[in-house]
Amino acid sequence: MLRALALPALLLACAGAWAADAAPVPHIVAVKAAHMLDVRGGAMVDQAVVLIADDRITAAGSKLAIPAGAQVIDLGDKTLLPGLIDMHTHLTGNPEDAGYASVAISVPRATLTGARNALRTLNAGFTTVRNVGAEGYADIGLRDAINAGDVPGPRISASGPALGITGGHCDDTMHAPEYKLQAEGVADGVDEVLKRTRQVIKYGADVIKICATGGVLSFGDDPRASQYTLEEMKAIVGEAHRLGRKVAAHAHGGDGIRLAVLAGVDSIEHGSYIDDEDIKLMKEHKTWLVPTLYLGDWLIENAEAIKLPKPLLEKARVVLPAARRNVAHAIQQGVPVALGTDAAVYPHGLNAREFAVYVKLGMTPLQAIRSGTVNASQLLGWSDRVGAIEAGKFADLIAVNGNPLKDITELERVQWVMKGGAVVR
């Protein structure tokens, strides 16, 4: 009888031991570098060590003890920073697609273009992006493919089709009336915008993108003219927030910025004609500004090469220089800024050139770096995941040769990239 009882007990004990043996052991990596920037506190940490278990940071600091058996990555005299964040990209587009060239590009082709641009963006040190506008939900498909490990790329917060009015910046205004073409995100009136907001969320949108004013690279509209009404935008924002999504508003100026802020959007994209009233409102409502300024240099210089249509070039020559002046004033007045580039208006992979523009307009190098790290993660709502080299966050790291606090252009020459504990460059 005792033998009969002992055998099941022995089997249970063995099963427990086998289960314990089968428990996965975390892969420990230690990244060493001469320096590491604490983007939150602003200090440069010397003899830095970052400890990583699987895809997360477990500890970071100076001269940390490295566990026995850990894989050591020694970056020598390089400087570590958190992976960079771009809050305004269009991964599925290219600069040469502006104007009528876009007519020949199918959604499947744009999606494959996005896969290529995602890798370029990641290799440039941007381990997280917010993609604000893609037809056919191409950016959502790209996001899912990256998350599944099918293709390499940054973490993506994706919007799917941008919402806009009939004939506005987010509509198709290139075709003659007989084609009866309309962009996928077009919705007019409170009932329609409410339904469209729910629809894009249904199909996977992380964030809602709306067009509150006209734009530069669109035909027949004025960047200073508002498009959605206050009531329409309130309906969008209210529903998006109720369903746990933030709202990014393309808005250059006029009353469009003010209406969007009063409607409760989370960020103003571009802000080219931002004025003192807009600045006051944005500070009161804690609304983020996402400037996209380096594109002004590249687009004007390369307009002929990419065959930019003349009406769009004429708008660009007026709007883009004004944006530099007005955003500089907004920066000086303390509007909260998160870095965005509008990559696709210029080539993907050059995203980090945006930092130097912010410094030229009055930011310190540390403030500029924060715009593309901790600030951007806060606007995303991902402060617990990305934006700083801290325990518990994803092991998204980059390394540069010099000190970006002394030369911000070091960020344009990223030497090494890690995403989620895996070296990708």
Side-chain angles (χ1 to χ4, degrees), residues 148-387:
D150 297 336
V151 295
R155 307 180 194 282
I156 299 177
S157 174
S159 74
L163 276 60
I165 67 168
T166 297
H169 179 63
C170 288
D171 194 7
D172 182 334
T173 56
M174 293 183 292
H175 290 82
E178 56 265 32
Y179 289 98
K180 298 180 174 61
L181 293 179
Q182 189 176 68
E184 198 168 6
V186 168
D188 300 307
V190 169
D191 289 344
E192 265 194 53
V193 300
L194 197 63
K195 183 174 182 178
R196 189 72 74 208
T197 301
R198 291 171 177 170
Q199 184 179 59
V200 296
I201 291 172
K202 170 184 176 179
Y203 293 122
D206 301 302
V207 60
I208 305 300
K209 162 76 176 294
I210 66 172
C211 287
T213 72
V216 176
L217 298 183
S218 51
F219 292 96
D221 61 359
D222 182 352
R224 296 199 203 208
S226 61
Q227 295 195 342
Y228 272 132
T229 66
L230 178 60
E231 290 72 23
E232 288 169 321
M233 285 193 283
K234 279 185 174 180
I236 295 168
V237 173
E239 192 66 4
H241 286 178
R242 190 178 69 81
L243 296 174
R245 270 67 169 185
K246 295 192 175 188
V247 180
H250 161 105
H252 283 284
D255 62 346
I257 293 176
R258 291 187 285 281
L259 293 177
V261 173
L262 290 171
V265 302
D266 298 281
S267 64
I268 295 295
E269 313 294 305
H270 312 302
S272 304
Y273 290 103
I274 189 170
D275 60 23
D276 286 330
E277 185 180 347
D278 300 330
I279 289 168
K280 181 175 181 290
L281 271 178
M282 289 180 70
K283 290 170 70 174
E284 287 174 357
H285 288 258
K286 297 181 172 58
T287 310
W288 291 88
L289 175 63
V290 180
T292 55
L293 297 173
Y294 171 70
L295 66 87
D297 294 334
W298 193 93
L299 187 65
I300 301 299
E301 292 171 6
N302 293 276
E304 185 176 346
I306 64 171
K307 298 180 173 60
L308 188 68
K310 185 178 178 181
L312 307 187
L313 177 58
E314 288 173 351
K315 280 204 280 187
R317 283 179 169 153
V318 174
V319 176
L320 301 181
R324 294 280 178 109
R325 296 190 299 271
N326 295 320
V327 171
H329 180 59
I331 289 170
Q332 292 160 9
Q333 295 300 309
V335 171
V337 172
L339 179 136
T341 66
D342 219 356
V345 175
Y346 66 90
H348 297 271
L350 304 183
N351 312 55
R353 297 188 183 188
E354 188 79 12
F355 288 104
V357 179
Y358 295 176
V359 172
K360 287 176 184 175
L361 297 186
M363 284 191 188
T364 66
L366 180 60
Q367 287 172 330
I369 293 168
R370 284 173 173 160
S371 77
T373 53
V374 287
N375 289 9
S377 70
Q378 186 178 341
L379 173 53
L380 272 175
W382 291 7
S383 293
D384 59 332
R385 289 175 258 179
V386 296

Side-chain angles (χ1 to χ4, degrees), residues 45 57 131 184 254 325 339 348-349 406 410:
V45 178
I57 298 168
N131 201 83
E184 198 168 6
R325 296 190 299 271
L339 179 136
H348 297 271
K406 294 181 179 178
E410 287 290 350

Side-chain angles (χ1 to χ4, degrees), residues 86-104:
D86 187 339
M87 294 298 288
H88 193 116
T89 65
H90 298 281
L91 290 171
T92 58
N94 289 319
E96 58 270 23
D97 299 341
Y100 286 101
S102 64
V103 173

Side-chain angles (χ1 to χ4, degrees), residues 7-23:
L7 183 58
L10 179 62
L11 291 173
L12 285 171
C14 290
W18 294 332
D21 289 343

Side-chain angles (χ1 to χ4, degrees), residues 47-64:
Q47 298 184 59
V49 177
V50 181
L51 300 179
I52 299 160
D54 295 328
D55 64 348
R56 300 273 180 166
I57 298 168
T58 58
S62 179
K63 302 179 184 178
L64 296 185

